[in-house]
């Protein structure tokens, strides 16, 4: 009993740098069942229509992480994405290589930028040499300790998050979602002895360039939720070290700013984050905006019930203790 | 309908035109906005990074205020929408409840968790309904090509309570259709405006904004529209910096969502604060063709 068959127009990105002047899209029309994965269709195209189509894949079961690509502009595993819903939504299927990594040929990218960022976080346990792992006890962690990084080991390093990330696209200093999620995993691993050092270094290593746009979390095929782990890292970094960078100063400054009147004091926040020098740097822009929006330099009203808000701060905002 | 109005900080300060337009639209469509001078800032994602538990408590207090009045909450900012609904979501975790509830008890503001948080986009497209909005249009925005720009936190992180697909939303485009404008589809519409790092690394933020504006322009948009005043700051207030960052002039007018609705319903540019924008809106309005079937203005 087969599902209703579907005539699927598939536009595939084709490009061989060095030989082709520019990328082109080749259209293949296939008759498939709606639940057919995109990867199966691409392999059929290669087997029956065009043996020169180049793609990377291996397990076909969302385990190896090899077949990440852009499917109708979303970073996805091709083996895990059925064709039917894509055609239904878009009327066609556009398959392109991942973003933020140079194309080697067709759907295959050079993953070097992704792995370079991963190396930067030193993704291995740093044990204290004075306290080696006890012999015969491979896992000296409690279930509660493991639960703190329960999601991260699910990562299959497919780079879908790296491909989806606008901060990666705009700034080579940003390590990317996967590297930071993995860093989080080592920071909260009780066996790792370099927590403090890792947190201090990542503050200047691009942590605060995360836009918390959550595109990585939506792209991740394994529900690792990188953006939430990056948030956790930010709070841990502030607890460990306070506001040493514009990013952490901005987060702390914002929190203090709201405590005073309950509403944001926009101009004061610029000073809190950037200091006096920064305020001077923003002066041109500020004046430009003030011409149209004269109230931006005035203090907002204080909310009614400000004492309630300040009690919440007293109850729940304890000063950093210097330890994550 | 009657709803607790949560304007957020920016619409009460540098983005007052958004508040003006929201009130205009609410009045025209019979939405009663109940105001609470006790509402505080939502934390804008920044307090969340410094102290997650505190931020959940701050928003539980905000939601508790509406709960006491028996009202759902209306937001007009993607970030307020995201932070308030995230608080609802996080309060489902018993461990979070255990940390937050004693502090709420101390200020006499318990929160049971019954309040729905709705952005104006949802109220217009779902509660009022596209048909009802369309029926009130006096001056359809025929000929105006608009790139909807959703703002991250209206869509992501997606939850079971989310209104639509986080990667392929349609509601904003449907609303543009209803008011006679022509929606432009482009990848950047669900991307980030760069605002969260505007004061962390301005140049990177400006490049990210430029990328989305360029994408809309290259797909033929005369203007962009956003349901988020933070996106508006990045795309309008800092458009000059975005242009400088990539060496390209955009002159792309950026509307707040209710401004376009109000225009179609008959508001004047002054009533909805269009002269307050840094990028003049006039050139976009010039694309609107007179519609012979439209009713004359009252």
């Amino acid at each position: 009993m087969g599902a209703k068959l579907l005539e699927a127009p598939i536009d595939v990105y084709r490009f061989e740098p060095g030989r082709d002047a520019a990328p082109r899209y080749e259209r293949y029309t296939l008759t498939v069942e709606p639940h057919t994965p995109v990867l199966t269709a691409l392999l059929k195209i290669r087997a029956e229509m065009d043996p020169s189509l180049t793609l990377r894949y291996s397990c076909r079961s969302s385990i190896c992480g090899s077949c990440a690509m852009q499917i109708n502009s979303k970073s996805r595993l091709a083996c895990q994405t059925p064709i039917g819903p894509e055609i239904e939504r878009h009327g066609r299927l556009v398959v392109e290589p991942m973003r933020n990594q140079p194309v080697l040929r067709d759907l295959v990218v050079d993953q070097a930028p992704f792995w370079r960022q991963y190396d930067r976080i030193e993704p291995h346990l740093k044990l204290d040499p004075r306290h080696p792992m006890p012999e015969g006890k491979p896992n000296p962690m409690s279930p509660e300790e493991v639960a703190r990084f329960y999601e991260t080991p699910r990562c299959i390093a497919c780079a879908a998050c790296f491909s989806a990330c606008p901060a990666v696209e705009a700034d080579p200093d940003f390590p990317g979602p996967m590297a930071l999620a993995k860093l989080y995993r080592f920071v909260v691993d009780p066996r790792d002895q370099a927590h403090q050092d890792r947190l201090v270094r990542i503050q200047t290593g691009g942590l605060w360039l995360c836009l918390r746009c959550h595109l990585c979390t939506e792209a991740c095929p394994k529900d690792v939720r990188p953006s939430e782990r990056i948030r956790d890292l930010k709070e841990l970094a502030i607890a460990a070290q306070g506001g040493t960078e514009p990013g952490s100063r901005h987060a702390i400054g914002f929190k203090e700013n709201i405590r005073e009147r309950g509403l944001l004091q926009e101009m004061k926040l610029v000073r809190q984050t950037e200091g006096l020098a920064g305020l001077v740097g923003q002066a041109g822009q500020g004046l430009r905006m003030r011409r149209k929006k004269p109230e931006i330099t005035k203090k907002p009203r204080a909310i009614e019930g400000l004492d309630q808000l300040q009690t919440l701060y007293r109850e729940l905002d304890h000063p950093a203790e210097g330890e994550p | 309908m009657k709803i607790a109005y949560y304007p957020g900080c920016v619409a009460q300060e540098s983005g007052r035109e958004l508040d003006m337009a929201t009130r205009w639209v609410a009045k025209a469509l019979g939405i009663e906005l109940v105001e609470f001078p006790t509402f505080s800032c939502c934390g804008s994602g920044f307090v969340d990074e410094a102290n997650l538990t505190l931020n959940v408590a701050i928003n539980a207090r905000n939601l508790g205020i509406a709960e006491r009045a028996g009202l759902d909450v209306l937001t007009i900012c993607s970030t307020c929408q995201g932070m308030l609904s995230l608080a609802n979501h996080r309060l489902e975790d018993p461990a979070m409840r255990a940390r937050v509830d004693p502090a709420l008890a101390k200020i006499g503001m318990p929160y049971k968790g019954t309040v729905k948080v709705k952005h104006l986009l949802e109220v217009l497209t779902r509660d009022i309904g596209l048909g009802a909005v369309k029926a009130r249009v006096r001056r359809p925005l025929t000929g105006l090509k608009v790139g909807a720009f959703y703002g991250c936190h209206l869509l992501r992180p997606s939850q079971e309570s989310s209104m639509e697909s986080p990667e392929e939303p349609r509601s904003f485009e449907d609303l543009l259709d209803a008011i006679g404008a022509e929606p432009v589809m482009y990848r950047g519409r669900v991307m980030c405006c760069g605002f969260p790092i505007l004061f962390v690394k301005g140049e990177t933020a400006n490049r990210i904004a430029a990328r989305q504006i360029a994408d809309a322009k290259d797909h033929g948009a005369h203007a962009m529209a956003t349901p988020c005043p933070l996106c508006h700051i990045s795309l309008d207030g800092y458009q000059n910096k975005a242009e400088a960052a990539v060496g390209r002039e955009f002159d792309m007018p950026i509307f707040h969502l209710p401004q376009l609705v109000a225009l179609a319903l008959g508001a004047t540019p002054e009533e909805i604060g269009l002269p307050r924008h840094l990028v003049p809106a006039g050139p976009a309005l010039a694309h609107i063709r007179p519609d012979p079937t439209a009713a004359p203005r009252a």
Side-chain angles (χ1 to χ4, degrees):
Chain A
M1 192 184 81
K4 206 173 148 218
L5 291 179
L6 185 73
E7 190 93 334
I10 305 179
D11 295 326
V12 183
Y13 177 101
R14 304 298 306 271
F15 184 44
E16 193 180 337
R19 205 195 67 182
D20 302 337
R24 65 183 194 282
Y25 290 82
E26 199 98 39
R27 171 161 294 194
Y28 306 94
T29 304
L30 264 64
T31 305
V32 295
E33 294 188 357
H35 62 257
T36 304
V38 172
L39 179 60
T40 306
L42 292 173
L43 293 178
K44 194 171 158 73
I45 290 169
R46 194 178 68 173
E48 297 173 12
M49 303 164 89
D50 188 344
S52 71
L53 176 63
T54 309
L55 67 153
R56 184 184 271 145
Y57 74 101
S58 177
C59 77
R60 308 192 202 193
S61 312
S62 347
I63 293 166
C64 75
S66 300
C67 69
M69 54 188 71
Q70 283 199 94
I71 297 169
N72 282 338
S73 294
K74 301 170 302 242
S75 296
R76 285 282 187 278
L77 294 182
C79 68
Q80 211 187 35
T81 308
I83 292 176
E86 292 298 322
I87 298 281
E88 204 176 301
R89 255 176 208 281
H90 298 270
R92 63 177 191 162
L93 182 63
V94 183
V95 183
E96 296 165 302
M98 281 197 283
R99 299 171 75 91
N100 300 333
Q101 298 150 89
V103 173
L104 290 174
R105 184 168 159 174
D106 297 343
L107 300 172
V108 177
V109 297
D110 176 3
Q111 292 193 305
F114 172 70
W115 292 115
R116 254 198 314 275
Q117 294 291 1
Y118 186 46
D119 283 345
R120 271 179 67 198
I121 63 129
E122 301 184 273
H124 51 267
L125 274 180
K126 295 186 181 183
L127 298 170
D128 187 336
R130 290 164 303 174
H131 303 285
M133 282 225 215
E135 258 179 63
K137 285 188 185 171
N139 185 1
M141 282 184 286
S142 69
E144 293 74 27
E145 286 168 332
V146 178
R148 287 195 75 186
F149 56 89
Y150 170 71
E151 288 152 326
T152 319
R154 288 204 294 254
C155 173
I156 53 173
C158 67
C161 60
F162 195 82
S163 168
C165 176
V168 166
E169 181 176 317
D171 199 319
D173 288 345
F174 185 59
M178 178 266 209
L180 289 173
K182 291 282 190 183
L183 177 68
Y184 168 83
R185 175 243 176 286
F186 290 109
V187 164
V188 298
D189 188 320
R191 300 167 300 176
D192 192 87
Q193 299 300 315
H195 303 164
Q196 192 74 12
D197 179 50
R198 289 181 191 274
L199 287 170
V200 167
R201 279 191 295 139
I202 202 61
Q203 279 237 50
T204 52
L207 172 64
W208 295 99
L209 292 173
C210 168
L211 297 152
R212 68 182 121 76
C213 67
H214 303 290
L215 280 158
C216 54
T217 290
E218 299 299 335
C220 177
K222 292 291 175 184
D223 204 26
V224 170
R225 311 190 76 77
S227 54
E228 291 172 20
R229 302 295 77 81
I230 296 172
R231 193 224 64 83
D232 294 340
L233 269 183
K234 287 172 174 172
E235 189 169 344
L236 289 168
I238 286 176
Q241 218 193 355
T244 61
E245 296 305 304
S248 41
R249 275 203 302 279
H250 194 69
I252 295 169
F254 202 104
K255 188 186 75 189
E256 293 310 316
N257 191 306
I258 300 310
R259 186 206 294 257
E260 280 176 30
R261 304 180 81 78
L263 294 175
L264 178 66
Q265 308 168 68
E266 288 178 318
M267 289 308 279
K268 185 168 184 178
L269 183 64
V270 177
R271 199 175 70 229
Q272 282 166 320
T273 305
E274 308 213 352
L276 221 50
L279 196 63
V280 173
Q282 292 283 344
Q285 195 69 8
L287 285 173
R288 219 177 135 261
M289 292 181 82
R290 212 184 109 185
R291 274 205 301 276
K292 297 290 189 79
K293 302 165 182 258
E295 66 286 341
I296 60 169
T297 48
K298 296 200 188 100
K299 273 193 177 185
R301 68 182 166 87
I303 61 161
E304 289 175 22
L306 182 61
D307 54 320
Q308 292 181 348
L309 187 79
Q310 292 177 340
T311 302
L312 293 180
Y313 272 80
R314 273 196 301 279
E315 291 297 312
L316 297 170
D317 194 33
H318 305 296
E321 289 171 21
E323 282 295 321
Chain B
M1 71 180 291
K2 191 172 162 186
I3 197 158
Y5 178 43
Y6 185 91
C9 297
V10 176
Q12 298 178 65
E13 297 173 42
S14 67
R16 284 181 194 185
E17 67 279 2
L18 167 59
D19 177 63
M20 294 159 74
T22 303
R23 290 174 191 277
W24 201 100
V25 168
K27 197 172 167 201
L29 295 175
I31 305 168
E32 187 186 338
L33 304 178
V34 184
E35 299 187 52
F36 294 90
T38 42
F39 277 153
S40 77
C41 171
C42 73
S44 192
F46 296 108
V47 177
D48 194 63
E49 292 174 343
N51 184 337
L52 182 142
T53 307
L54 172 68
N55 198 44
V56 171
I58 288 173
N59 285 321
R61 175 183 169 275
N62 284 328
L63 293 168
I65 291 167
E67 189 173 67
R68 279 188 178 198
L71 295 170
D72 285 336
V73 166
L74 170 72
T75 66
I76 51 171
C77 168
S78 296
T79 299
C80 296
Q81 174 68 26
M83 295 320 298
L84 288 168
S85 43
L86 206 52
N88 258 344
H89 177 70
R90 283 172 174 161
L91 283 167
E92 288 166 14
D93 171 14
M96 178 60 78
R97 269 280 172 200
R99 292 198 294 276
V100 169
D101 279 350
L104 293 175
K106 207 151 221 168
I107 60 171
M109 289 295 297
Y111 174 55
K112 290 202 283 285
T114 59
V115 174
K116 279 204 193 85
V117 185
K118 296 178 175 183
H119 190 281
L120 181 62
L121 179 61
E122 180 176 358
V123 168
L124 292 178
T125 55
R126 296 275 170 95
D127 295 328
I128 300 295
L130 289 169
V133 172
K134 198 169 181 173
R136 300 296 304 272
V137 169
R138 288 165 172 274
R139 189 174 50 195
L141 308 182
T142 316
L144 182 63
K145 295 185 180 176
V146 181
F149 189 85
Y150 281 79
C152 297
H153 301 261
L154 189 58
L155 304 169
R156 300 178 297 264
S158 60
Q159 301 158 26
E160 276 156 47
S161 61
S162 294
M163 175 168 86
E164 58 190 327
S165 157
E167 287 171 313
E168 299 179 323
R170 275 296 320 188
S171 62
F172 205 161
E173 283 81 8
D174 291 344
L175 180 63
L176 291 171
D177 264 333
I179 58 175
E182 187 184 323
V184 170
M185 298 302 271
Y186 63 111
R187 177 177 178 268
R189 73 199 182 98
V190 294
M191 299 294 288
C192 177
C193 71
F195 179 84
I197 59 166
L198 195 53
F199 297 103
V200 175
K201 198 168 179 185
E203 227 177 277
T204 301
N206 300 147
R207 270 204 304 278
I208 292 169
R211 171 117 208 155
Q212 322 313 349
I213 301 171
D215 194 13
K217 195 164 183 97
D218 293 343
H219 283 80
H222 302 135
M224 292 165 76
T226 176
C228 179
L230 305 183
C231 295
H232 197 269
I233 291 175
S234 187
L235 300 174
D236 176 70
Y238 282 78
Q239 193 174 122
N240 61 326
K241 297 237 173 186
E243 290 176 330
V246 298
R248 176 175 172 188
E249 278 185 28
F250 295 127
D251 298 321
M252 175 67 80
I254 313 290
F255 291 89
H256 296 282
L257 173 149
Q259 286 178 323
L260 281 184
V261 178
L263 277 175
L265 267 50
T268 66
E270 290 72 26
E271 285 175 304
I272 53 171
L274 286 185
R276 292 170 52 86
H277 293 189
L278 273 85
V279 180
L285 302 184
H287 288 283
I288 301 171
R289 288 195 298 272
D291 178 50
T293 63
R297 278 195 58 210

